[in-house]
Amino acid sequence: MRTNLTTLAAVRNLGILAHVDAGKTTVTERILYATGTTHKRGEVHDGTTVTDFDPQERDRGITIFAAAVSCAWDGHRVNLIDTPGHVDFADEVERSLRVLDGAVAVFDAVAGVEPQSESVWRQADRYGVPRIAFVNKMDRAGADLDRAVESIRQRLHPAPLVVQLPVGAEDAFTGVVDLVRMRSLVWPDGAGTAVEGPVPESLRQEALRRRRALEETVAELHPAALEEFCDRGTLDAGTLAAALRDLTRTGDGVVVLCGSAYRNRGIEPLLDAVVAWLPSPLDVPAVRGVHEGTEQRRAADPEAPFAGLVFKVNASATGRLAYVRVYAGTVEKGDSVRDPGTGRTERVARILRVMADRHVQLDRAVAGDIVALAGVKSARAGSTLCDPGAPLLFEPPVAADPVVSVAVEARRATDTGRLAAALARLAEEDPSLVVRTDAETGQTVLSGMGELHLEVAVEKIRRDGGPEVGVGRPRVACRETVVEGVTGFVFRHVKQDGGAGQFAHVVLDVEPLGPEPGGTGFEFRSAVVGGRVPQEYVRAVEAGCRDALAEGPLDGHPVTGLRVTLTDGSTHVKDSSDTAFRTAGRLGLRAALRACAVALLEPVAEVTVTVPEDAVGSVLGDLAARRGRVGGSRTRGGAAAVTATVPLAELFGYATRLRSRTQGRGTFTTRPAGYAPAPRPVPGR
């Protein structure tokens, strides 16, 4: 047992998180190169990276699918997941974060915290994932570590603990000063490893000043460090390192390192930081699950009953792999595992150590491992797998609601069945893709997180040998909300057709949930007095009201942002029942909504457009034409970054339009910003 736990303490499960183009994949490639896992440095622009192995990723130059790799460093096994940075694939990041113990957040030294950097940071906050920050691209013109750190402080609100000082700037960036051990690490041109030496005399005073600032910040946050700082007026390297580890794991601080992944500078110290400060599976709380309504905890112990969570599924015509984080116990080839969500028990045919698109067969996997299982046919992303004799169900990652839809159809009628099978595989791999049939038109509708998300999905069908697919214009997923409600709306449900009848009488008040349209959610209250509607019938009325929210009175969109109050009602001695009151709640709220003033809501996105200063006027005019509300702009290094809130429907085709207006020099990023009142009809409908 001691050997197993010792081995477990040397495991690090971490993800690489960042905004698109911050350099996540290059950081991953350099980690694989530094650890000896690969012997040639892969390049994104050459399409030779290990983790971006999908043809679409290489063609587009971005990460689309989370890829798992494994390597070894300083006696530790590092299981690493390279996650997408584009907002359309945020659900892939969400599922990866659910199974990680730590993360490296990568920031551009010129841009600092960008919109998607902030989004993935908040995702990590939700799962309590400890992070360290790596400010990348220190060799770029305009790179500024202090400015990047300040953006981390202002926009992400942790306490940045800067442990390095750059040696040189921009093109002259050659290394770092390690402020914990007060040494320099310099990477000569063409050298694969750092040359260690004393702090350069020209940087000594600045290094001492920054070391002092680091000690003071750590002492403010860490009681043991504060005690030593008060006694001695300083912190030794051992105390400082231990305090940094504690602050990282509690989330009270974030260690900040810097480097240039492209030039292979700063990767070894980053790996040392991962090993020293990010937690092992033994350092994180025991995982929680439920069995028969009772919460249970299961520690990361190889001798405990097996329990794991499926966070990714790769389904193809030739086979199916379920990517699993093993939280407890041991699973061996040939074992039977149970999915408590479906009640099915299946046999594990193979266990694979994942190296992106390559695999190494294993005989067993233990707590702390991230592996792929073959033979588990029913598991979906978010499914729990466990020992059949010790069932336990984990809470799955939350799948985001799709916001964009397109109609898809096979170009040849004979390929309809093949298209249905291909769409089913897509939805199986990616829970944020939803396939449905429109009841009115009979069309097959594919819904996802954005235009690029759907474009990638359709292209994947074609590249995987599927049928030729025709795609309709994208449509946005609107909502309806109450602008002006009604009070005292009376509804009686009476049905008598032989035998026991149905009777339910309800009086409803309907009002907006907030002062401004665009809010989301639903709230139900009961103000019935004197027991005129028994409590069990009140619950039935609430269930019926929730049923009614599926279709609104305007265009049949889901209804949100309202409060319903049951103020009165009456029952019949024989004919009242849960069913009758649920029906009254559903039909009554539908009728009440037709009497309310109802508005249409459309999804909006926060857009950050980066363009040359001479193109700002043209871009602002185009955003205004797209019903965008400009929130501000800032100038940095000869480029202007304009932030605006724009209806999602107006962003279809915006990339092409922006390129034409800026001669290909403009870029933009988006992130969801909720819903806002829409004119009728909504473009894209």
Side-chain angles (χ1 to χ4, degrees):
M1 173 71 73
R2 183 175 296 127
T3 301
N4 285 336
L5 294 180
T6 301
T7 303
L8 197 55
V11 172
R12 298 292 183 272
N13 293 316
L14 71 141
I16 307 293
L17 313 174
H19 184 90
V20 65
D21 287 337
K24 296 180 312 303
T25 300
T26 303
V27 168
T28 304
E29 291 297 318
R30 298 305 183 262
I31 287 175
L32 296 178
Y33 181 74
T35 57
T37 308
T38 59
H39 303 290
K40 183 180 179 182
R41 289 181 288 185
E43 304 293 352
V44 173
H45 55 271
D46 291 336
T48 57
T49 57
V50 172
T51 52
D52 283 358
F53 58 84
D54 187 273
Q56 287 203 73
E57 294 179 309
R58 294 185 169 178
D59 289 350
R60 298 173 187 271
I62 61 171
T63 301
I64 296 173
F65 309 106
V69 292
S70 185
C71 57
W73 179 257
D74 192 24
H76 292 71
R77 171 161 294 283
V78 179
N79 297 318
L80 190 152
I81 298 179
D82 179 24
T83 64
H86 196 285
V87 65
D88 281 18
F89 309 104
D91 202 60
E92 191 93 357
V93 182
E94 187 90 10
R95 283 180 273 124
S96 299
L97 281 169
R98 175 66 175 80
V99 300
L100 295 173
D101 300 325
V104 174
V106 180
F107 300 94
D108 187 316
V110 178
V113 176
E114 298 173 270
Q116 190 60 10
S117 310
E118 196 169 345
S119 297
V120 295
W121 191 273
R122 302 301 174 214
Q123 286 177 297
D125 280 342
R126 284 200 296 273
Y127 291 107
V129 177
R131 279 142 281 171
I132 58 178
F134 182 70
V135 179
N136 190 27
K137 302 188 179 182
M138 288 296 297
D139 58 325
R140 280 187 62 193
D144 189 326
L145 176 61
D146 291 337
R147 189 172 60 205
V149 170
E150 188 57 29
S151 71
I152 292 173
R153 188 194 317 275
Q154 291 183 355
R155 298 190 64 176
L156 305 181
H157 309 296
L161 306 171
V162 185
V163 298
Q164 291 178 343
L165 169 67
V167 176
E170 300 181 349
D171 280 345
F173 172 76
T174 57
V176 297
V177 173
D178 178 353
L179 299 177
V180 178
R181 298 173 61 182
M182 291 305 288
R183 58 175 181 161
S184 71
L185 297 170
V186 176
W187 288 265
D189 285 339
T193 56
V195 176
E196 183 177 343
V199 178
E201 195 59 38
S202 60
L203 293 174
R204 186 161 187 80
Q205 290 303 315
E206 179 66 10
L208 289 172
R209 185 186 70 79
R210 290 179 180 249
R211 166 63 183 252
R212 181 70 177 182
L214 175 62
E215 290 179 354
E216 290 174 352
T217 304
V218 168
E220 289 175 2
L221 300 171
H222 194 278
L226 177 61
E227 185 176 343
E228 181 175 318
F229 189 77
C230 291
D231 288 344
R232 300 178 50 198
T234 187
L235 297 176
D236 65 35
T239 302
L240 182 57
L244 291 171
R245 180 182 64 244
D246 293 342
L247 293 173
T248 299
R249 294 179 183 183
T250 60
D252 293 325
V254 56
V255 170
V256 181
L257 302 96
C258 64
S260 167
Y262 179 69
R263 298 199 181 190
N264 205 28
R265 293 170 182 167
I267 299 302
E268 296 97 325
L270 176 62
L271 282 164
D272 290 338
V274 165
V275 166
W277 296 320
L278 288 180
S280 75
L282 291 177
D283 297 319
V284 298
V287 66
R288 294 182 297 178
V290 295
H291 176 54
E292 296 181 347
T294 303
E295 182 177 288
Q296 297 182 9
R297 293 176 181 266
R298 198 160 289 181
D301 183 352
E303 302 298 325
F306 166 70
L309 182 71
V310 179
F311 67 94
K312 181 180 174 68
V313 170
N314 188 348
S316 68
T318 57
R320 188 176 190 279
L321 292 177
Y323 292 74
V324 178
R325 161 67 190 269
V326 182
Y327 280 104
T330 301
V331 61
E332 298 186 356
K333 186 170 64 172
D335 282 354
S336 293
V337 295
R338 183 176 179 81
D339 180 350
T342 62
R344 293 187 60 173
T345 299
E346 296 185 286
R347 180 176 172 274
V348 176
R350 290 181 297 155
I351 303 174
L352 305 172
R353 174 85 65 201
V354 183
M355 285 300 299
D357 58 341
R358 301 188 301 276
H359 307 98
V360 178
Q361 293 211 34
L362 303 174
D363 292 328
R364 59 186 342 219
V366 301
D369 274 338
I370 293 178
V371 295
L373 303 183
V376 185
K377 299 177 182 178
S378 66
R380 301 289 185 266
S383 295
T384 303
L385 298 178
C386 61
D387 186 327
L392 187 67
L393 181 64
F394 295 144
E395 181 181 357
V398 178
D401 293 330
V403 294
V404 178
S405 301
V406 292
V408 294
E409 62 180 10
R411 293 194 183 277
R412 293 195 297 253
T414 54
D415 286 336
T416 301
R418 291 176 61 207
L419 175 60
L423 289 172
R425 279 200 301 272
L426 280 178
E428 187 178 348
E429 290 186 347
D430 186 351
S432 61
L433 286 171
V434 177
V435 181
R436 64 180 178 85
T437 301
D438 190 295
E440 294 183 4
T441 65
Q443 290 179 308
T444 299
V445 178
L446 179 64
S447 304
M449 302 305 298
E451 196 174 6
L452 178 61
H453 190 203
L454 297 179
E455 186 181 316
V456 166
V458 172
E459 179 68 9
K460 184 172 173 61
I461 292 176
R462 187 183 68 80
R463 295 201 184 208
D464 288 349
E468 286 295 318
V469 180
V471 180
R473 177 173 167 79
R475 299 184 302 172
V476 295
C478 293
R479 298 286 185 267
E480 296 177 22
T481 192
V482 173
V483 177
E484 186 177 333
V486 295
T487 59
F489 189 88
V490 179
F491 186 84
R492 293 177 181 271
H493 172 61
V494 182
K495 186 177 182 181
Q496 192 74 44
D497 52 4
Q502 292 187 21
F503 176 89
H505 164 222
V506 295
V507 181
L508 304 175
D509 288 353
V510 182
E511 59 185 327
L513 193 55
E516 294 293 330
T520 58
F522 169 71
E523 186 177 303
F524 181 86
R525 295 177 178 176
S526 173
V528 177
V529 295
R532 290 177 58 80
V533 179
Q535 189 59 39
E536 61 269 24
Y537 293 163
V538 171
R539 288 193 292 270
V541 173
E542 179 180 359
C545 288
R546 291 186 182 277
D547 294 342
L549 300 177
E551 294 183 5
L554 290 180
D555 291 320
H557 301 294
V559 185
T560 188
L562 72 159
R563 179 185 295 112
V564 176
T565 304
L566 177 64
T567 59
D568 199 3
S570 61
T571 62
H572 187 277
V573 176
K574 293 184 178 179
D575 293 345
S576 290
S577 63
D578 281 354
T579 301
F581 272 90
R582 182 163 185 162
T583 303
R586 183 179 75 254
L587 299 180
L589 181 55
R590 284 183 180 175
L593 287 173
R594 289 193 290 271
C596 295
V598 179
L600 192 66
L601 299 176
E602 62 180 335
V604 295
E606 180 186 288
V607 183
T608 301
V609 187
T610 304
V611 295
E613 290 185 76
D614 58 5
V616 170
S618 174
V619 168
L620 289 175
D622 189 40
L623 288 174
R626 294 173 185 270
R627 299 187 288 126
R629 291 183 289 111
V630 176
S633 65
R634 64 184 187 275
T635 302
R636 183 174 54 206
V642 179
T643 303
T645 302
V646 184
L648 190 63
E650 299 284 2
L651 289 175
F652 298 139
Y654 183 59
T656 303
R657 182 70 169 170
L658 180 64
R659 282 195 293 269
S660 67
R661 284 181 174 268
T662 61
Q663 290 78 49
R665 297 178 294 166
T667 61
F668 77 101
T669 59
T670 65
R671 64 171 178 169
Y675 286 81
R680 299 187 68 210
V682 177
R685 286 292 308 151

